[in-house]
Amino acid sequence: MLHGKRKASFPLSSQINDLQWVSLIWAPHAGRVDDFVKSREWTFYDSITLDSRGKTVKMEQTTYYGTGKRKTSIARVWLKDGDGKIHINRKEADGYLGRETLKMIIMQPFEVTGTVGQFDVRVTVKGGGVSGQAGAIKHGISRALLNVSGEYRKPLKKAGYLTRDAREVERKKYGQRGARARFQFSKR
């Protein structure tokens, strides 16, 4: 959907290859693209192929999905064939993750499987801080790589990237300053 209730200006069928719509996927009954697009709101999508008559055929690229978790962060990761671009919450990975060590963390699954630069990565991550988010992204990328090929399971499992790190913050206890720390004791 477009933001709000606005309608978009509609292209001619000769310009259809420049724009791609998700609406075309679920309407194989549409005869002419111009008529179909004018009758519905539409959104942009990755890639859709059209035959000579303007009917939808199929999506060109396959997308692989994986969910990763770490501490309180949850990352949804989509991989598709590409040249290694990584976007986290619609920002470049370099801009989103400040430290170089965090960038190294999210690249580890690709280095173990030997697929550096073969996939474009799109990530939506929320919760926690940047360190937990980087761990969640690494976990999500590892799970998405399993959907690409089952051959990657052995190296990813050996490196420990498929196991969800269960360490969480321990709760604060009543009568204490923190989870383990006590209030300062005064003898007098």
Side-chain angles (χ1 to χ4, degrees), residues 166-178:
R167 295 177 294 170
E168 299 265 340
V169 176
E170 190 176 332
R171 64 161 288 224
K172 180 195 175 301
K173 314 302 189 301
Y174 54 85
Q176 298 180 13
R177 194 167 47 87

Side-chain angles (χ1 to χ4, degrees), residues 43-184:
T43 56
F44 294 104
Y45 199 71
D46 284 342
S47 57
I48 305 230
T49 56
L50 303 173
D51 63 4
S52 59
R53 295 176 306 229
K55 289 190 176 183
T56 58
V57 180
K58 63 175 182 172
M59 290 175 48
E60 281 181 8
Q61 292 184 328
T62 307
T63 305
Y64 304 98
Y65 175 78
T67 304
K69 294 182 180 183
R70 170 83 170 95
K71 295 185 180 180
T72 57
S73 301
I74 300 172
R76 298 182 302 159
V77 179
W78 292 269
L79 300 179
K80 68 176 184 178
D81 293 330
D83 52 359
K85 294 179 193 161
I86 299 177
H87 291 277
I88 303 170
N89 291 346
R90 298 187 179 190
K91 294 181 183 176
E92 292 279 333
D94 295 336
Y96 191 85
L97 302 172
R99 298 190 302 249
E100 199 62 38
T101 53
L102 298 178
K103 296 171 199 164
M104 288 170 41
I105 286 172
I106 65 172
M107 292 303 292
Q108 286 174 341
F110 294 120
E111 291 165 0
V112 167
T113 57
T115 55
V116 177
Q118 291 183 17
F119 295 101
D120 286 342
V121 182
R122 186 169 58 92
V123 180
T124 305
V125 64
K126 60 183 177 180
V130 286
S131 178
Q133 288 184 352
I137 292 168
K138 179 176 88 169
H139 190 222
I141 289 173
S142 300
R143 285 184 164 183
L145 283 170
L146 278 185
N147 294 331
V148 174
S149 174
E151 299 172 1
Y152 299 143
R153 181 172 193 81
K154 202 166 198 171
L156 288 169
K157 189 74 174 171
K158 186 175 181 184
Y161 298 154
L162 296 178
T163 306
R164 201 273 201 214
D165 191 349
R167 295 177 294 170
E168 299 265 340
V169 176
E170 190 176 332
R171 64 161 288 224
K172 180 195 175 301
K173 314 302 189 301
Y174 54 85
Q176 298 180 13
R177 194 167 47 87
R180 301 285 176 94
R182 307 318 203 251
F183 291 119
Q184 185 171 347

